[in-house]
């Protein structure tokens, strides 16, 4: 979990060039997923690695960077098959949750 948290912060720094740190909240979802999001309720301008740019809320920014972090962690070669399976489940649980968010189109534009 510590590695995932670090990846979340790294992705936020990578996707939002104005991000300089701050407090984050942890959200558990009813479907077994989770995400971290910046505590500061403001808009964040994210520029994805696919060159899409979106201005999103702190919650949508958190969902986006957590999806990137989970994906990054899944491709690490030295994790067990059971851990990989758990990460895949968490990724899709969060992705399913994101599909029902007000800013779903923006989130999916960024992660596509």
């Amino acid at each position: 979990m510590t590695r995932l948290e670090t990846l979340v912060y790294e992705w936020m720094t990578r996707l939002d060039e104005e991000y300089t740190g701050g407090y984050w909240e942890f959200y558990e979802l009813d479907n077994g997923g989770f995400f971290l999001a910046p505590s500061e309720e403001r808009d964040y301008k994210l520029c994805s690695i696919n060159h899409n740019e979106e201005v999103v809320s702190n919650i949508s920014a958190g969902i986006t960077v957590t999806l990137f972090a989970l994906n990054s962690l899944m491709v690490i070669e030295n994790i067990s098959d059971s851990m990989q399976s758990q990460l895949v489940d968490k990724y899709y649980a969060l992705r399913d949750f994101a599909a029902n968010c007000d800013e779903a189109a923006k989130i999916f534009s960024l992660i596509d």
Side-chain angles (χ1 to χ4, degrees), residues 82-100:
S82 64
M83 177 59 77
Q84 177 117 18
S85 178
Q86 289 176 32
L87 291 170
V88 168
D89 291 345
K90 299 298 182 188
Y91 179 89
Y92 282 107
L94 179 55
R95 190 174 176 274
D96 290 346
F97 175 79
N100 295 309

Side-chain angles (χ1 to χ4, degrees), residues 1-111:
M1 191 61 172
T2 303
R3 180 66 181 135
L4 179 66
E5 186 176 4
T6 301
L7 284 169
V8 166
Y9 304 147
E10 288 174 3
W11 274 107
M12 188 63 165
T13 301
R14 190 178 302 172
L15 299 181
D16 182 348
E17 63 185 33
E18 295 179 11
Y19 178 72
T20 59
Y23 293 103
W24 287 66
E25 301 290 331
F26 181 84
Y27 295 87
E28 291 184 80
L29 306 174
D30 291 340
N31 68 0
F34 68 89
F35 66 96
L36 287 83
S39 297
E40 187 177 359
E41 294 183 18
R42 67 173 180 85
D43 289 337
Y44 293 83
K45 182 180 177 185
L46 303 183
C47 181
S48 185
I49 58 175
N50 63 12
H51 304 289
N52 289 335
E53 288 186 16
E54 299 287 353
V55 176
V56 295
S57 68
N58 62 311
I59 298 298
S60 293
I63 291 169
T64 302
V65 298
T66 302
L67 285 166
F68 272 106
L70 285 165
N71 187 56
S72 296
L73 199 53
M74 283 189 281
V75 299
I76 294 175
E77 294 178 21
N78 61 349
I79 62 172
S80 69
D81 289 344
S82 64
M83 177 59 77
Q84 177 117 18
S85 178
Q86 289 176 32
L87 291 170
V88 168
D89 291 345
K90 299 298 182 188
Y91 179 89
Y92 282 107
L94 179 55
R95 190 174 176 274
D96 290 346
F97 175 79
N100 295 309
C101 292
D102 291 340
E103 296 181 301
K106 290 181 179 185
I107 294 168
F108 281 86
S109 168
L110 291 163
I111 67 168

